[in-house]
Amino acid sequence: MTDPPRLPRLVVTTREIEPVDDLIEFADPTSPLAWLRRDRGIVGVGIPLVEISLSGVDATPEHFAATWRELAAATEIDDAVNLPGTGLVGFGTLAFDPAVSAAPSVLLVPPTVIGRAGNRAWLTSIRRVDDIAATEAPTARPYGPLWSASLGPGTQGPTGYQASVSSGLSAIANGDYEKIVLARDVVGTIPAGADLRRLVRALASEYPDTWTFAVDGLVGASPETLVTVHGGRLTARVLAGTIPRGTDASDDVVASDALAHSAKDLSEHRFAVRSVLETLAPHATNLHADDEPFALELPNLWHLATDIAGDISHHASALDLVGVMHPTAAVAGTPTQTAIRAIRDLEPFDRGRYAGPVGWVDGNGDGEWAIALRCAQIGEPDDETIPVVAHAGAGIVSGSIPESELLETRVKLRPIIDALA
C-alpha cells in the first residue's frame, strides 16, 4: 500500500454570475478540464490545488471515496447557488483495470470552476485555508488554429481483432463465460501545441446528448451513464446492443426495428441490465428498471438502452457507487471477473482509462459519472507531436459474428476519429 496523500484544508465559495455562452473557452488549451451536456456543464480552470493520483491495487474507487470524504469533511463551503456542480468539485478519471494498468487513476480539484445550467451560471473559487490571496476571475480565450491528427491501426488490427473475437466465442461455447467485451485500438499523433479545446468542442457540438468530458488528457463523448447521484436518488443508463444508423429515413427505421428485435442484441442487453440491478440492489431501495429497452438515437448509431433509478441507502456517495458498479457487464462481460481475466489475455494492449469511470463528485458526495467510451487518451508531447490512442469495443455473446463485431467497433470509433480529423 502507498501512503495516503496529504490533504489540505480548503475554503470554497460559489456565487452566481451572468450567463456564459461557451464554457469551453475558459478551459486550458493544452489540458482542458470539462464535463458538458447540452446547456449544462462545468469547466475547471488553473493548476489543480489537489491531485489524488493512485496506481495498481491502491487505485480503487473505494479508496478514492474514503479520501474524498476526508477532504470534503475538512473543507469550508459557502455555496449560494446550490445546483449540481456547485461548491467543492473534483474531476476524476479511473483506470479500467488498475491491477494491471500503467495508467494512474486521478481525482483533480482545480482552483476555479465555472459552470452553467440552462440560463444560470456560477463561479466557484477554491483555495487553501492559509492562502489569503484572492482567486483571479477566469477569462475566455480565443480558440487556437484548426488542426488534424494522423491516425492508423494500433496493436490490435482488424485481423487480430477478429481472431480475438473467435477465441472469445470458443470460450463461450466451452462455458467459460457467457459474454465478453473485446476492444481494439487506433493510434496516432496530433501537432504539438494543438488547442485541445477544439476536440472538446467538436464532440460537444456533434454529440450533444452524450457526456462530453476532458480530464487529465482523456477526452471523449460517452453516451453511457455509469451512475448519477443527487439528493439521495441514483440513476443509471445501461447501453448494450448496437446497430449503425440507416443511410436514409426509411433505412433508418428498418435499422432501429432490426435492433429492437435482434435476439443477439437483446441477449447482450439483458446480461448488462441484470448485472447492474444485482450490483445496486444492496445499496438502493425502490430500485426499478424499464421493462423493455428503448432505442437510443445517436448521430451515427442506435443503442438498446434501459434506464434504472432508485433511492440510495446507507448514505452512499457517487464514488461509493462507482466502486460498486465498475466494471459493468456492458464493458467487461459476464461473469465480470472471469471476463476481466480473459480480456487481459485476449487484448494485446493496456486499455488505460478507456471503459473506466469518468466524471465528477461534489462535497456532498453527489456527482455524475459515465463510462469512458468514444474517447481518446492524449499523451505527453515532444517537440513536434503529441501521441494519441483511441479504443472501441463490442460485446461478444453466443451467436456473435467476428466480421459484424469489427464493423461495430468501426462505427463506435467514428465520433472520436471524426473529431480528431
Side-chain angles (χ1 to χ4, degrees):
M1 291 283 289
T2 59
D3 293 333
R6 297 185 62 183
L7 301 174
R9 291 182 59 204
L10 302 176
V11 176
V12 179
T13 304
T14 299
R15 294 292 184 266
E16 193 151 359
I17 60 174
E18 291 297 315
V20 175
D21 290 331
D22 185 2
L23 290 175
I24 303 171
E25 284 188 317
F26 292 87
D28 187 317
T30 60
S31 183
L33 191 59
W35 179 265
L36 309 159
R37 189 176 190 179
R38 286 199 176 273
D39 62 351
R40 295 179 51 223
I42 49 177
V43 164
V45 184
I47 298 173
L49 289 174
V50 180
E51 179 175 349
I52 304 168
S53 180
L54 301 172
S55 300
V57 294
D58 293 340
T60 63
E62 294 86 353
H63 196 151
F64 278 101
T67 304
W68 183 256
R69 274 193 291 271
E70 181 184 347
L71 179 69
T75 299
E76 301 174 24
I77 301 175
D78 178 7
D79 181 0
V81 181
N82 196 29
L83 288 173
T86 63
L88 177 65
V89 170
F91 296 77
T93 174
L94 281 59
F96 171 77
D97 187 1
V100 299
S101 179
S105 298
V106 300
L107 195 61
L108 307 173
V109 179
T112 302
V113 178
I114 185 167
R116 176 185 175 186
N119 60 0
R120 299 185 68 184
W122 61 87
L123 179 67
T124 297
S125 298
I126 306 172
R127 62 176 176 84
R128 295 174 183 269
V129 71
D130 55 355
D131 184 359
I132 60 173
T135 303
E136 293 186 9
T139 57
R141 285 182 276 186
Y143 289 95
L146 292 168
W147 53 268
S148 62
S150 299
L151 298 169
T155 308
Q156 181 75 296
T159 301
Y161 181 73
Q162 291 181 80
S164 291
V165 172
S166 296
S167 296
L169 286 168
S170 296
I172 290 171
N174 290 336
D176 296 348
Y177 38 81
E178 297 174 88
K179 172 187 175 181
I180 186 169
V181 180
L182 294 175
R184 67 185 183 96
D185 58 332
V186 173
V187 301
T189 60
I190 61 179
D195 188 339
L196 299 180
R197 297 176 303 170
R198 285 198 172 276
L199 176 59
V200 180
R201 187 172 71 163
L203 291 168
S205 299
E206 292 297 319
Y207 299 88
D209 290 318
T210 67
W211 297 113
T212 300
F213 55 86
V215 184
D216 198 41
L218 186 72
V219 182
S222 176
E224 187 155 3
T225 307
L226 182 60
V227 65
T228 295
V229 174
H230 182 64
R233 289 282 292 172
L234 70 86
T235 57
R237 173 168 287 180
V238 178
L239 303 184
T242 306
I243 196 169
R245 294 288 301 273
T247 55
D248 56 36
S250 177
D251 191 36
D252 205 32
V253 171
V254 172
S256 175
D257 187 66
L259 179 63
H261 294 88
S262 165
K264 178 262 181 186
D265 289 292
L266 288 169
S267 173
E268 180 186 344
H269 192 81
R270 282 192 291 270
F271 282 133
V273 173
R274 183 181 68 196
S275 171
V276 172
L277 288 172
E278 290 175 350
T279 299
L280 285 176
H283 308 278
T285 58
N286 302 318
L287 191 65
H288 64 275
D290 299 336
D291 292 334
E292 297 292 337
F294 64 93
L296 176 66
E297 178 184 2
L298 294 175
N300 64 321
L301 49 76
W302 292 96
H303 278 304
L304 288 179
T306 294
D307 287 332
I308 295 173
D311 297 316
I312 297 172
S313 56
H314 314 302
H315 305 288
S317 72
L319 278 170
D320 289 322
L321 294 180
V322 166
V324 168
M325 293 182 66
H326 177 73
T328 68
V331 293
T334 306
T336 302
Q337 291 307 314
T338 303
I340 289 288
R341 290 190 290 271
I343 287 170
R344 294 170 184 168
D345 293 332
L346 293 174
E347 290 182 355
F349 51 76
D350 179 355
R351 284 192 182 187
R353 290 128 166 205
Y354 163 72
V358 60
W360 61 268
V361 62
D362 72 9
N364 297 319
D366 292 351
E368 295 172 329
W369 290 79
I371 298 174
L373 305 173
R374 320 296 193 267
C375 60
Q377 179 68 54
I378 312 298
E380 293 297 323
D382 58 27
D383 292 338
E384 297 183 356
T385 61
I386 307 171
V388 59
V389 58
H391 299 87
I396 314 304
V397 296
S398 179
S400 292
I401 300 171
E403 294 83 357
S404 298
E405 305 307 328
L406 176 63
L407 175 61
E408 182 173 324
T409 64
R410 286 175 177 160
V411 173
K412 290 178 175 177
L413 279 167
R414 178 180 152 191
I416 190 65
I417 288 179
D418 285 353
L420 286 165

